[in-house]
Structures are given as structure tokens and as C-alpha cells.
Amino acid sequence: VSQGVAMSTNTGTAADWNFTILDRTVQPVLASADHSPEFQIATAPAWMCKSNGQLDVANHVKDFAVYAANLVRYYNKGGFDWGGKHFQSTSELPITWWGIFNEPNLNGINAADYVTIYNTTVPAMLAVDPTIKLSAIEFSDFGLGSGDAGDPMTYLPTFVAAGNAGGANAKVDIVSTHF
């Protein structure tokens, strides 16, 4: 997954972005079956992460939202400009389904931070393309019933709480899990 992250640095130059590895997978998938794959934004660019590889939510959640919005622009809305270069998907087929982080409960993102990520990122993506569909959480069922912080049974209540009580207030089309 980390090899397919399209943004490597944040210097404001075109060298910050490279879709080569990512598009080796995405472009053939877009051309297959029902043309409705899910693009899982599984991780953040390394420069947004702490030394343990986890998104530094306190300092970079807004940067992550910009990154995600640019992915939507790249695949769905004719691209974006960065550092004097235009980046645009070679496919005319848009990506309908978008997932925000893969298995956050297994990958060190606590429930409250996931809500912050989701509530910040989804509106930025929808501002680019209001027709996209969102898949939230995408749990790992590792530890199911354990009572640990990553246990979906203890993680999910934070997400589904009322928005004014710390839960998700951004659009959710589906909550997913990996068995």
C-alpha cells in the first residue's frame, strides 16, 4: 500500500506527486467489470505520519483531506495542478466508491481520531464531486469481542454516536468490515 501512495512529499513542486505505481493497479480495474471499484485511501503520505507510520491527526488531518480531495480530482474531475504540472487520470471512467482508511482499528487509529479524519476528509472530497459514495471504517475483525480498543464492538459506538456527541457527521453510504 505504501508504495502506491501518490504523494510523497509536500514541497510545492510537481515531484511531490507520482501516480505511476498507483495507476498500474487502478487503470486496469477501472476498465473491468461494472466500472465501479472502491478506491481505498488506505494510508496517508509518509510526510503526514508520525514515526510509527500512523497519520498525525493533530497536525495533518487537513493535509490528508486536501490529499484525498486531489485524488478525487485526479480520477473524477479532470485532474489538478501542482507545482506547474497538471495531473489527470488517463481513464474517463470516474471512481464512484471511496473508502477512508483501511482497518483503522487494526492500524493504530483510535475511534475518536477516525471520526476526526472522516468528518474532515469526506466534506473535502464531496466538495470536489458530490456524486461519490463513501465507505466508512472498513474494520478488521481481528480482536472481535476482545474488548480491546480495536475491537469493532467497542470502536463502532464512537463512530455512530450523534454528531454533537463526537460521532460522524459527514455523509456515510456504507460501513464496511473485513471478515
Side-chain angles (χ1 to χ4, degrees):
V1 170
S2 64
Q3 298 302 309
V5 175
M7 187 182 195
S8 59
T9 57
N10 188 27
T11 65
T13 67
D16 292 343
W17 291 87
N18 185 335
F19 286 88
T20 304
I21 293 172
L22 184 59
D23 276 344
R24 283 186 195 141
T25 301
V26 174
Q27 297 302 335
V29 171
L30 277 172
S32 66
D34 70 353
H35 309 293
S36 184
E38 177 193 343
F39 187 109
Q40 176 57 254
I41 307 173
T43 189
W47 66 270
M48 296 181 198
C49 296
K50 301 175 195 174
S51 61
N52 63 3
Q54 296 165 358
L55 176 62
D56 181 350
V57 176
N59 295 305
H60 290 292
V61 71
K62 289 181 182 175
D63 295 323
F64 181 76
V66 169
Y67 167 72
N70 277 335
L71 292 174
V72 174
R73 283 182 186 93
Y74 179 82
Y75 287 106
N76 290 17
K77 291 297 180 180
F80 65 96
D81 296 320
W82 191 279
K85 182 176 178 182
H86 187 71
F87 295 89
Q88 182 175 347
S89 172
T90 59
S91 175
E92 293 184 18
L93 298 170
I95 295 175
T96 301
W97 287 94
W98 294 82
I100 311 302
F101 268 85
N102 182 50
E103 300 178 334
N105 62 323
L106 179 65
N107 292 313
I109 303 291
N110 68 45
D113 279 350
Y114 184 78
V115 170
T116 298
I117 294 165
Y118 195 87
N119 283 343
T120 304
T121 303
V122 168
M125 295 170 72
L126 289 169
V128 173
D129 185 351
T131 69
I132 63 173
K133 305 291 182 199
L134 289 300
S135 176
I137 301 178
E138 302 209 23
F139 279 130
S140 163
D141 283 339
F142 178 77
L144 182 62
S146 68
D148 292 340
D151 178 352
M153 294 171 64
T154 59
Y155 200 97
L156 188 58
T158 301
F159 187 79
V160 299
N164 62 2
N169 57 23
K171 177 185 174 190
V172 177
D173 290 297
I174 190 167
V175 174
S176 304
T177 188
H178 299 156
F179 291 105

